[in-house]
């Protein structure tokens, strides 16, 4: 019941934000601008984004190999797509991750390894995004020069770096221990303690760690370029350095559990950020919606993988003796 209430509130916030944005746009202008997205470009964008997801799965496979488990990248990619599909309907990004843990646990017969591998795959991405946000600070001062944007980026970068330090530093976790206990968050403290132990074990595999972090950094750079390609196709002439500033801001703030999948929040952020460099509301909205809808199109393959997984599970259950 409580979950339903939270989901309803998030949906209401998303609808409210989208409605607010809709009152500020010229629908005729939207129709004119969207024609720049040709079928050929959409196909190219889907292939490009698939390659980004393949990089994520390659990173995930390396993490699993360090624990003694070898799973084909194509199998991990199918579970990744299925997770993307689930995230469309579930609040936050946890639904897809839970499914990915479930799939890998079935393949490895080790639920702890599955959980840690998904966490580490996310964690290395967080570390790379932290570095990207920090790299984006100098261009923010030089190129944009708007103090509200600089403050937003600094806050996001600080939050990411703080999260990384909290996850990796036992001393920092001990410093926060009284505060977590005071607010009855002892379970979170115990989970972080266990995660730190697992991280130390993973850090012993130096080659896997270096490759994983390197792939994470390459992936984040590729995602920024993905936004650049879509923006250029929509005739939004924005520099890569500007996007190096904007993408981490949108990525971090959209993670806040205040709407369904960040819908409404992302659109408002892109309009706010791009308005600082003279981009119209219509073009900013189209950039946000284009990246979202392309992600939905790609995740539709996940529905097929989910159906096949459900079918195989049902068939296996039916064949079991009563």
């Amino acid at each position: 019941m409580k979950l339903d209430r939270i989901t309803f509130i998030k949906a209401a916030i998303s609808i409210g934000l989208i409605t607010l944005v809709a009152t500020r746009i010229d629908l005729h202008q939207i129709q004119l601008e969207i024609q720049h997205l040709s079928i050929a470009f959409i196909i190219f964008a889907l292939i490009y984004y698939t390659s980004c997801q393949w990089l994520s799965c390659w990173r995930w496979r390396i993490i699993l190999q360090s624990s003694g488990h070898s799973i084909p990248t194509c199998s991990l990619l199918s579970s990744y797509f299925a997770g993307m599909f689930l995230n469309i309907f579930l609040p936050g990004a946890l639904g897809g991750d839970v499914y990915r843990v479930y799939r890998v646990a079935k393949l490895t017969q080790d639920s702890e390894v599955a959980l840690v591998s998904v966490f580490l795959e996310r964690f290395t991405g967080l570390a790379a995004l932290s570095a990207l946000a920090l790299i984006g600070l100098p261009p923010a001062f030089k190129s944009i020069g708007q103090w509200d944007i600089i403050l937003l980026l600094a806050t996001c970068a600080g939050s990411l770096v703080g999260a990384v330090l909290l996850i990796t530093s036992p001393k920092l976790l001990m410093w926060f221990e009284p505060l977590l206990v005071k607010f009855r968050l002892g379970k979170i403290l115990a989970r972080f303690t266990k995660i730190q132990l697992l991280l130390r074990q993973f850090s012993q595999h130096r080659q896997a760690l270096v490759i994983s972090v390197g792939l994470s950094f390459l992936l984040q750079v590729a995602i920024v370029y993905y936004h650049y390609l879509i923006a250029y196709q929509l005739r939004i002439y924005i520099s890569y350095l500007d996007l190096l500033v904007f993408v981490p801001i949108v990525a971090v703030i959209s993670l806040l559990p205040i709407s369904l999948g960040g819908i409404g929040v992302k659109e408002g952020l892109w309009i706010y950020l791009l308005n600082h460099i003279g981009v119209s509301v219509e073009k900013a909205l189209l950039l946000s919606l284009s990246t979202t809808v392309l992600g939905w199109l790609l995740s539709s393959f996940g529905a097929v993988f989910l159906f096949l997984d459900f079918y195989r599970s049902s068939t296996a259950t039916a064949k079991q003796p009563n």
Side-chain angles (χ1 to χ4, degrees), residues 20-56:
L20 180 63
V21 169
T23 60
R24 298 181 56 191
I25 64 172
D26 182 344
L27 291 178
H28 178 66
Q29 186 66 27
I30 291 284
Q31 291 174 350
L32 292 176
E33 298 291 347
I34 202 171
Q35 294 176 12
H36 296 306
L37 292 178
S38 63
I39 297 298
F41 176 79
I42 290 173
I43 294 173
F44 167 77
L46 291 174
I47 294 173
Y48 182 95
Y49 198 69
T50 299
S51 67
C52 290
Q53 300 301 74
W54 182 82
L55 276 177
S56 294

Side-chain angles (χ1 to χ4, degrees), residues 278-293:
V279 177
S280 68
V281 173
E282 289 77 17
K283 285 191 173 183
L285 178 62
L286 266 180
L287 176 60
S288 179
L289 291 178
S290 297
T291 55
T292 299
V293 173

Side-chain angles (χ1 to χ4, degrees), residues 155-299:
T155 303
C156 291
S159 300
L160 287 171
V161 172
V164 171
L165 290 175
L166 183 62
I167 291 170
T168 57
S169 173
K171 291 184 179 179
L172 189 61
L173 187 61
M174 287 177 62
W175 189 78
F176 272 98
E177 182 177 355
L179 186 64
L180 293 172
V181 172
K182 180 179 179 181
F183 287 97
R184 298 180 180 179
L185 298 175
K187 290 184 178 180
I188 293 179
L189 177 65
R191 186 169 297 175
F192 271 126
T193 302
K194 184 176 181 180
I195 286 171
Q196 287 183 349
L197 175 62
L198 296 169
L199 280 173
R200 285 195 292 272
Q201 292 176 356
F202 177 67
S203 66
Q204 296 174 3
H205 301 272
R206 297 294 177 86
Q207 184 178 3
L209 180 62
V210 170
I211 295 175
S212 179
V213 173
L215 286 174
S216 296
F217 191 78
L218 177 62
L219 176 63
Q220 297 299 335
V221 170
I223 288 174
V224 174
Y225 191 67
Y226 173 71
H227 285 80
Y228 175 80
L229 290 173
I230 296 174
Y232 191 83
Q233 188 70 18
L234 291 170
R235 307 299 191 268
I236 302 173
Y237 301 113
I238 180 173
S239 71
Y240 184 87
L241 288 178
D242 288 342
L243 284 171
L244 196 66
V245 174
F246 293 159
V247 170
I249 292 175
V250 175
V252 173
I253 297 180
S254 297
L255 289 175
L256 295 175
I258 57 177
S259 67
L260 285 179
I263 297 174
V265 175
K266 287 186 292 187
E267 287 69 30
L269 278 171
W270 278 116
I271 291 172
Y272 176 79
L273 294 170
L274 293 179
N275 181 63
H276 283 71
I277 57 172
V279 177
S280 68
V281 173
E282 289 77 17
K283 285 191 173 183
L285 178 62
L286 266 180
L287 176 60
S288 179
L289 291 178
S290 297
T291 55
T292 299
V293 173
L294 284 171
W296 287 352
L297 285 174
L298 194 60
S299 66

Side-chain angles (χ1 to χ4, degrees), residues 98-112:
V98 170
Y99 177 77
R100 291 200 292 144
V101 170
Y102 162 75
R103 278 287 302 273
V104 172
K106 286 180 64 177
L107 294 171
T108 62
Q109 299 299 310
D110 192 329
S111 59
E112 188 172 85

